[in-house]
Amino acid sequence: MKEACGVFGVFAPGRGVAQLTFDGLYALQHRGQESAGMAVSDGEAITVVKDMGLVTTVFDERTIACLPGHIAIGHTRYSTTGSSEWRNAQPVYRSVGRVGFALGHNGNLTNTPALAELHGMLPGVVATDSDLVAELLALAHPAASADASPLDIPDPADRDGGPLGGGLLELALRQVLPLVQGAFSFVVLDGHHLMGIRDPNGFRPLCLGRLGPTDAPEGWVLASESPALDVIGASFVRELEPGELMVIDEKGPRSEQIFPAERLETHLCIFEFVYFARPDSRLYGREIHGARRRMGELLAEQRPVEADMVMGVPDSGVPAAEGYARASGIPYGQGLVKNRYIGRTFITPDQGARTALIRRKLNPLRDNIAGKRLVVVDDSIVRGTTTRALVEMLRDAGASEVHMRVSSPPFQWPCFYGIDTPTREELLAARMSREEIEEYLGTDSLEYLTLEHLVEAIDAPGAGFCNACLTGDYPAPVPVSFRQAAPA
Ligand code: AMP
C-alpha cells in the first residue's frame, strides 16, 4: 500500500479553519485524487469528514459551514490500485478516554507488518500504515494507562505538558516516532494543538506558513507544498527540517529535533522536482518551475537535434520544453491540447484502459505539427504506455520526425517512500535496453537527462536527495517482501 498524498494543517483562532483547509487541500489536489478529508477541533470535540473523491466532491459550503473550530488538519490521498477504499481515507481518528486526536500522513512506512506484529495486532486489524501509527499513538497515549478513568477530563497540566508543551499527544509521539521507519510527513491535532513531523530523512516535504503580519501573527499553517499557503494568504516561513517535531498553539510554533544524529540524513524525493510538486512550489528554497526549465536546457546541451519545433507534453513536460527551446534556439510551440477536466491518468489498472484515457486527455493540434520534425519533451517515462500512445498520435497527426527528450533519468526501481509506482517488471527502463525502448516507443531518437544534470538543474548545493527510483540505492530499509523478491 503506497500513497503519495497532500497534507495540510492550520491553527487560527477566530478564522474559519474548515474553509482555509478546503482552500489548502484544493491547492494540493494534484498530490492525491482518491479521497479527501479534514478533521476540525473546536477545543471540545474533533469532527472528521472524509470520503472518496476530489476535494470539491467531498466538501461543499454546507459541510464546511458545519465544521466550526480553530484547529484543522486535511488530507488528499493518492490513488493506488486495489486499495481504493473508504477505510483508507484520511485523516485517521482515534479517541483515548475523553481525548481524541487525528492524523494525516504523506509518505509510506517500510516496517508496517513488523511493527504491527510487535504490538500483537492481528493481520488486517489496521488498514494502512497511517492507521497503524494512529493505533500505536493511542496505545502509547498516557490517557490510555490503566489508572486513567475514561471519564477523566484531562488535567490542564497534562494538556500543556511535554517538552514542547504539546501535552499527552506529544508524549505519545515521542514514544512512537522512533519506532517507525520509512517516509512520513505527518500533521496531527488534538483538542488544543496542531503538530507537524518530518521523518529523519525528509523524504516528503512539509513547510510552515504564517497568517497575518510577522509582529502580530493570526495563525499558523503546515502544508506539503507552499502554494497551499499562497492560496489562503499565508506567508511562507520555512521548510521543516528532517526529524523536526513542531507543536503549534496560541503560544505560536515551537519545535525540536527528536531523532538522534545518526538517523538524520536528508533524502528529499528527487521526483518531487521532476514531476510530483506543482511548478509554483518552493523546495530547498527554489521554485520548481525554474528547476524544470533548467532540466530542459541541460537536456538540449546533452543531446541536440535538428528539428522544427519543441513541444512539451502537458502539463508536466511544459517547463522543460521551454528550457529545451531556449537553449537550442528551436522555436517552441504547442502540439497537444489537454482536456483540463481530466486528472492524472497514470494509475489506471489495465493497459487498454490507459490508452483510451490518454486519447481522452490529449488531442493533437494537427495543423501545427503536420510535416514538422518535433522535439517532444516530457518529465518521465514510467511504464511507457502514455509515451508510446503519444508518439503514435503525433505521427498519425502528420509529424515527420519525433525526437523524445525526457527530463529525468530512466525510472528503473519502485518507490517505497510514498510515490505509487508499478512493480519492477512493469517499469519500461528496468526491462528493456535503450535501443529496445526507442523501438517500442517508435521514436526517431530518445534521450534521458543524466542524474548529474538533474541535480545540477535543481541547483541546491549540498542538498540530499532520494533517487532510489533512478539508481536502486534505497536510503531507508525497504519492505522484507520486496527484498525477498528482488534479484540478489
Ligand atoms: P508512461 O509513458 O505510461 O510511463 O507515462 C509517463 C507519464 O506519466 C509522464 O507524462 C509523467 O508525467 C507521468 N507520471 C510519472 N510519474 C507519475 C506518477 N507517479 N503518477 C502519475 N503520473 C506520473
Side-chain angles (χ1 to χ4, degrees):
M1 282 170 292
K2 302 175 204 72
E3 50 202 56
C5 306
V7 292
F8 183 87
V10 54
F11 182 96
R15 303 279 292 261
V17 289
Q19 181 66 47
L20 295 175
T21 305
F22 173 87
D23 292 339
L25 289 181
Y26 199 31
L28 297 173
Q29 185 75 82
H30 64 289
R31 297 184 73 86
Q33 295 109 47
E34 179 192 285
S35 65
M38 68 173 89
V40 184
S41 168
D42 62 1
E44 296 282 322
I46 297 173
T47 312
V48 183
V49 176
K50 57 180 176 179
D51 210 341
M52 305 305 290
L54 301 175
V55 178
T56 46
T57 320
V58 177
F59 297 99
D60 60 19
E61 279 166 18
R62 274 197 310 174
T63 358
I64 302 283
C66 295
L67 290 168
H70 62 289
I71 322 173
I73 59 169
H75 190 264
T76 59
R77 186 171 188 269
Y78 196 35
S79 165
T80 38
T81 313
S83 59
S84 230
E85 298 174 39
W86 186 85
R87 68 175 187 155
N88 295 346
Q90 295 194 28
V92 288
Y93 173 82
R94 288 290 187 286
S95 62
V96 187
R98 294 277 307 244
V99 296
F101 66 89
L103 165 142
H105 177 200
N106 172 200
N108 194 57
L109 305 185
T110 52
N111 65 338
T112 311
L115 265 183
E117 201 181 312
L118 193 71
H119 288 80
M121 292 172 204
L122 296 171
V125 168
V126 288
T128 61
D129 53 350
S130 320
D131 212 25
L132 173 76
V133 174
E135 193 61 33
L136 294 178
L137 286 174
L139 291 172
H141 204 289
S145 67
D147 51 355
S149 149
L151 294 177
D152 275 352
I153 294 173
D155 187 320
D158 291 341
R159 196 182 100 181
D160 297 323
L164 293 172
L168 300 179
L169 183 59
E170 181 194 336
L171 300 180
L173 281 164
R174 284 175 183 268
Q175 271 193 52
V176 171
L177 291 172
L179 307 175
V180 295
Q181 284 175 0
F184 50 87
S185 281
F186 289 125
V187 287
V188 195
L189 64 68
D190 64 8
H192 308 281
H193 317 89
L194 167 67
M195 301 184 202
I197 305 104
R198 244 183 119 188
D199 70 62
N201 295 121
F203 282 112
R204 297 282 144 223
L206 191 63
C207 63
L208 173 71
R210 188 194 59 247
L211 286 162
T214 325
D215 51 356
E218 290 155 21
W220 300 93
V221 188
L222 295 169
S224 294
E225 293 183 39
S226 53
L229 309 177
D230 302 333
V231 294
I232 61 164
S235 329
F236 175 86
V237 177
R238 65 177 175 89
E239 291 167 47
L240 265 69
E241 295 296 326
E244 182 174 357
L245 166 67
M246 181 172 280
V247 174
I248 300 171
D249 57 21
E250 54 286 324
K251 296 191 276 299
R254 288 93 60 188
S255 73
E256 196 181 297
Q257 180 52 253
I258 59 158
F259 286 88
E262 62 272 19
R263 278 196 68 186
L264 293 172
E265 199 178 277
T266 308
H267 292 287
L268 175 59
C269 168
I270 206 159
F271 225 65
E272 293 277 353
F273 291 89
V274 171
Y275 169 80
F276 216 60
R278 286 171 52 137
D280 51 342
S281 276
R282 302 190 79 84
L283 289 174
Y284 280 153
R286 277 136 190 91
E287 192 167 83
I288 300 288
H289 180 269
R292 290 185 184 158
R293 204 183 49 225
R294 280 189 298 279
M295 291 172 204
E297 288 168 359
L298 292 171
L299 199 48
E301 282 175 26
Q302 202 181 300
R303 183 87 186 264
V305 64
E306 271 196 30
D308 306 306
M309 183 174 111
V310 177
M311 55 170 277
V313 180
D315 296 315
S316 46
V318 172
E322 189 191 319
Y324 195 103
R326 185 192 284 194
S328 65
I330 304 169
Y332 175 82
Q334 267 193 56
L336 290 161
V337 168
K338 182 183 162 193
N339 182 330
R340 65 183 63 195
Y341 303 102
I342 281 187
R344 293 183 165 183
T345 48
F346 178 80
I347 315 294
T348 307
D350 72 278
Q351 206 114 317
R354 267 201 302 269
T355 313
L357 266 177
I358 293 153
R359 290 204 173 276
R360 238 181 273 161
K361 178 171 166 177
L362 296 170
N363 203 30
L365 287 163
R366 288 164 204 282
D367 289 357
N368 212 26
I369 59 182
K372 284 190 184 146
R373 297 168 297 170
L374 301 177
V375 174
V376 181
V377 185
D378 203 356
D379 65 280
S380 58
I381 299 179
V382 184
R383 287 188 181 89
T385 332
T386 320
T387 315
R388 188 180 193 207
L390 201 84
V391 173
E392 195 187 334
M393 191 187 265
L394 294 169
R395 286 207 192 277
D396 286 350
S400 64
E401 288 175 22
V402 178
H403 300 275
M404 194 73 208
R405 296 291 178 269
V406 186
S407 61
S408 61
F411 197 117
Q412 300 191 63
W413 300 87
C415 175
F416 299 108
Y417 309 132
I419 288 194
D420 181 57
T421 46
T423 60
R424 186 131 209 259
E425 294 69 47
E426 290 172 274
L427 295 171
L428 193 69
R431 59 190 178 90
M432 286 188 193
S433 68
R434 187 68 57 88
E435 293 70 36
E436 286 169 332
I437 297 176
E438 251 183 86
E439 198 184 318
Y440 172 80
L441 298 176
T443 54
D444 293 283
S445 74
L446 165 72
E447 183 77 3
Y448 289 98
L449 189 68
T450 61
L451 183 57
E452 294 68 37
H453 277 161
L454 174 55
V455 172
E456 187 183 332
I458 296 169
D459 188 28
F465 296 104
C466 172
N467 48 34
C469 57
L470 313 172
T471 59
D473 188 0
Y474 292 96
V478 297
V480 179
S481 55
F482 177 76
R483 263 182 277 145
Q484 283 162 352

